[in-house]
Amino acid sequence: MAAASLAPLVEPVAALSPGERERTARHHVLVPLGEVGQRRLAAAHVAIVGAGGLGSPTVMALAAAGVGTLTVIDDDVVELSNLQRQLMHRVADVGEPKALSAARAASDLAPEVRVHAVRERLTPDNAAHLLAGADLVLDGSDTFDTREAVAAGCEQLGVPLVWGTVQGFDAQVTVFWSAPPAGIPAVRLSDLYPTGSAGDVPTCAEVGVLGSLCLQVGALMATQAIQLIAGIGEPLLGRVLVIDGLRASQRTVPLKGVAREDAPPRDPSPRAAVAGGSSAPGPVESRIGAVPERIRPAALAERLEQPDAPLVVDVREIDELRTGMIPGSLHVPLGEVRADPDGVARRVRDEAGGRGVAVVCRGGVRSAQAAAALAGRGLDAVTLEGGLLAWRGPLAMPAAAR
């Protein structure tokens, strides 16, 4: 079934105010959006979950576009490290609730927008309540548990969900809708991630995120929202847009039902990051290898006492080493593994001298990725389950971190 425009989500308001009509004038000449489409935007109510890396550009884009009502749901406060990608917030906002900062930014851009700032964490218990009344939901949350709760709430309410994710240099955008118009197959989060398939979910603090890519993905999510509200174009319902920031490439992967007939075969594992943030397995996992074998901290401590003790490879960043390293560890940041896995594998093989390899990081997510890369290149590599957070053995302060 070929993709096609869907019916508009909302009826248009009767008229725009003179100020709003002038502010959004460049939309009025756009075909097929036009003045009627702009009045539909003014009538729409969009809920945005997360006011972080993806929530920032979507709030600004939708406010500027003239969406009449925004509900911004976030229980976090602005931190200095957020400002690399969350351009809605300012240095002066550090320590302030993100939802209130979002309301300020939206009002600065479009004084007529009505912003409901909800300083509350969305959970499975309150999702439907917090999202009630919205015509459409955008998910920019930063944990997969929250994303599942958002998706379940949208399914309960029958409203479309625009879903975007970023991890590192990779991203995905799609649309889920459990109750689309007649004749259009339903598409749910479980069609992309079957229940329980997400596995361990890294945070952006662990694997990093390109700030400019958050802006790109947030803008794409806002565009999807505009298309759905106004009933124009071909929304990504049934298709996943996959973005590779390092290779400047984009492609759509058929997901279900309304994918184009001329699209390439479906990726058997169209995984993506979770972002708001960002997190989740996916582009990284598919790029550097399969899920590696894990070793428990007690078992590693025991093996390190043996004559053939494995080489410990620590893939944290250098500033993290101040908390200490397992004595004798080789320091190779994950970024080096991703940039040159073959070269790192040769170096580790030389250092190991035939011994096994145990890869460690703070929480066990980055080490799993690095161990997969090394195992895929013939090394006997395992990852420390739970990372150094679970380690109870000795730690030493490396000279590089003193």
Side-chain angles (χ1 to χ4, degrees), residues 14 55 60 65 87 103 137 154 175 199 227 239 265 293 308 326 334 372 383 399:
M60 292 192 294
L87 272 61
V137 176
C154 289
V175 174
Q227 288 182 266
R239 298 178 294 149
E293 181 182 346
D308 61 344
I326 295 176
L334 178 62
T383 178

Side-chain angles (χ1 to χ4, degrees), residues 86-400:
Q86 300 178 20
L87 272 61
M88 176 171 61
H89 309 302
R90 301 291 183 262
V91 172
D93 298 320
V94 171
E96 295 298 315
K98 287 184 179 180
L100 297 183
S101 177
R104 182 267 308 157
S107 297
D108 285 349
L109 282 168
E112 295 191 22
V113 68
R114 296 174 295 279
V115 183
H116 304 304
V118 180
R119 297 170 56 187
E120 190 172 348
R121 175 163 288 273
L122 188 144
T123 69
D125 294 330
N126 65 16
H129 170 70
L130 294 182
L131 301 175
D135 302 302
L136 163 92
V137 176
L138 278 71
D139 190 352
S141 56
D142 58 2
T143 71
F144 202 81
D145 287 344
T146 302
R147 287 180 171 269
E148 288 185 319
V150 173
C154 289
E155 289 182 23
Q156 183 177 340
L157 297 169
V159 298
L161 169 62
V162 178
W163 197 83
T165 65
V166 181
Q167 178 179 296
F169 296 93
D170 301 287
Q172 293 183 0
V173 181
T174 191
V175 174
F176 302 117
W177 198 353
S178 63
I184 304 294
V187 186
R188 300 176 173 85
L189 175 62
S190 58
D191 293 317
L192 181 61
Y193 282 95
T195 302
S197 69
D200 292 328
V201 178
T203 67
C204 59
E206 292 178 306
V207 298
V209 58
L210 183 65
S212 58
L213 187 58
C214 290
L215 300 181
Q216 178 181 351
V217 174
L220 287 167
M221 293 172 68
T223 299
Q224 289 297 299
I226 291 168
Q227 288 182 266
L228 289 162
I229 291 166
I232 62 173
E234 297 180 2
L236 286 167
L237 184 63
R239 298 178 294 149
V240 182
L241 178 65
V242 181
I243 303 169
D244 185 333
L246 280 180
R247 293 174 176 80
S249 68
Q250 295 186 172
R251 64 190 178 97
T252 55
V253 177
L255 180 58
K256 184 178 180 182
V258 295
R260 294 183 63 90
E261 295 172 352
D262 58 351
R266 178 181 172 183
D267 185 331
S269 180
R271 301 287 192 85
V274 174
S278 63
S279 351
V284 173
E285 180 182 88
S286 62
R287 181 175 295 172
I288 65 178
V291 177
E293 181 182 346
R294 301 181 181 187
I295 185 170
R296 293 182 178 274
L300 177 58
E302 183 178 340
R303 287 190 59 185
L304 290 177
E305 297 294 328
Q306 305 302 316
D308 61 344
L311 172 68
V312 177
V313 177
D314 192 321
V315 296
R316 295 175 296 165
E317 297 301 315
I318 192 167
D319 63 322
E320 297 178 88
L321 303 186
R322 294 185 178 89
T323 59
M325 297 175 68
I326 295 176
S329 296
L330 172 67
H331 179 228
V332 185
L334 178 62
E336 293 185 19
V337 180
R338 296 190 68 188
D340 184 16
D342 293 321
V344 169
R346 288 193 295 270
R347 177 183 171 192
V348 171
R349 184 177 287 107
D350 291 343
E351 292 279 349
R355 296 176 292 156
V357 175
V359 188
V360 304
C361 69
R362 181 176 182 272
V365 175
R366 287 172 288 176
S367 61
Q369 297 170 8
L374 297 176
R377 286 156 180 82
L379 287 161
D380 179 15
V382 298
T383 178
L384 177 61
E385 183 174 333
L388 292 176
L389 291 175
W391 178 252
R392 297 295 178 264
L395 295 174
M397 183 65 68

